[in-house]
Amino acid sequence: MNEESLQRANAFLAAAAARTDVGTVMQVTPAEIGREIGLPDPLSAARAVRALIARERLEPAQGSYRLVDSRPVDPNEKETIERLPRKRRGPPARASDRSAEAGRPTYSAVGREMVEKLIELGREVGSMRASLRTAREEARASREARVEAEQRAEHLSSRVRDLEGRAEMAESNLRALLATAKGVGREPRTATMGDSEMEAILGVLKGGDPGPAVEGSSAGESGD
């Protein structure tokens, strides 16, 4: 033990003896005593404790240390508790050798597997994006066709309504014209034309069969 280690060990022992009676367990941690006596770090306190244990001043007990003897350590005092000899360490085995011996995959194999999996996932994502793009284009085309069909149907409906209105107006005008033409030169009581006669005249104008109403009307006029 060098001089500095001896001084630190004796200072630690004196601080512990000031707090703890001989034969009792310390109630403070070595780190607290080390800070009290000004040790630079907890490692220095641990080294002092180890030196005191080796010289039978302290002993482990109840998760702490028991003060066995409060006498300062003599510079020439030898360790009474011998340290276990350190085992010689051989050259560290390679990680690949350990993995191969244990039957576990190596980092390179895991990395290669991950890269292949990422490539496969990338291909699947690309295929799904292409399918999604095609589906969107088809949906847009269908939507445009539907809108165009709705517009065409609306236009045709409007045209049909317009033609129906014109036909009704023409029929009304024709009825009024026929009624006026038949009422010229007759008595007021005979100025009104029957619906059957008007229907027959409209049928003739439209290119249909005049029907019996027209024949009856013609016969009546010839009799007059």
Side-chain angles (χ1 to χ4, degrees):
M1 181 185 296
N2 56 29
E3 186 65 24
E4 183 179 5
S5 299
L6 178 63
Q7 292 178 0
R8 289 180 177 178
N10 285 330
F12 188 95
L13 180 61
R19 290 171 171 264
T20 309
D21 296 333
V22 176
T24 58
V25 179
M26 296 169 49
Q27 301 298 324
V28 293
T29 62
E32 293 178 359
I33 297 178
R35 285 194 298 269
E36 181 182 348
I37 63 177
L39 294 181
D41 49 30
L43 181 59
S44 300
R47 289 175 178 173
V49 169
R50 185 178 62 183
L52 294 174
I53 291 175
R55 289 162 179 80
E56 295 185 347
R57 298 301 191 276
L58 298 176
E59 66 178 7
Q62 301 177 7
S64 183
Y65 300 96
R66 179 182 287 109
L67 181 61
V68 178
D69 192 354
S70 60
R71 292 181 298 106
V73 178
D74 188 72
N76 298 324
E77 186 176 351
K78 301 296 183 181
E79 295 181 356
T80 56
I81 301 177
E82 297 182 357
R83 299 182 184 179
L84 295 176
R86 295 182 179 179
K87 295 181 180 180
R88 293 183 179 181
R89 296 182 180 179
R94 295 181 180 178
S96 58
D97 296 340
R98 291 196 300 267
S99 301
E101 292 176 359
R104 294 179 298 178
T106 60
Y107 287 106
S108 59
V110 173
R112 186 164 50 251
E113 188 70 21
M114 290 179 62
V115 170
E116 293 177 356
K117 191 65 176 179
L118 288 175
I119 293 174
E120 183 180 355
L121 291 175
R123 291 174 180 173
E124 292 180 0
V125 170
S127 177
M128 293 177 65
R129 286 181 176 176
S131 301
L132 179 61
R133 189 181 303 109
T134 303
R136 286 179 177 175
E137 292 177 356
E138 293 178 355
R140 183 172 60 253
S142 300
R143 185 166 53 252
E144 292 176 355
R146 179 178 57 82
V147 172
E148 184 179 357
E150 290 178 354
Q151 292 177 353
R152 187 183 299 110
E154 184 178 358
H155 176 69
L156 292 176
S157 299
S158 177
R159 187 174 180 182
V160 168
R161 288 193 299 269
D162 187 21
L163 292 176
E164 288 178 351
R166 290 183 180 182
E168 291 178 358
M169 185 179 297
E171 183 178 356
S172 177
N173 293 336
L174 183 58
R175 285 177 180 273
L177 180 61
L178 292 175
T180 303
K182 189 172 182 179
V184 175
R186 292 192 175 188
E187 296 296 332
R189 59 184 179 84
T190 60
T192 303
M193 182 181 292
D195 291 337
S196 59
E197 295 177 355
M198 290 185 180
E199 292 292 340
I201 294 172
L202 288 174
V204 172
L205 293 176
K206 292 179 180 180
D209 187 8
V214 176
E215 295 176 357
S217 176
S218 301
E221 291 178 358
S222 61
D224 291 340

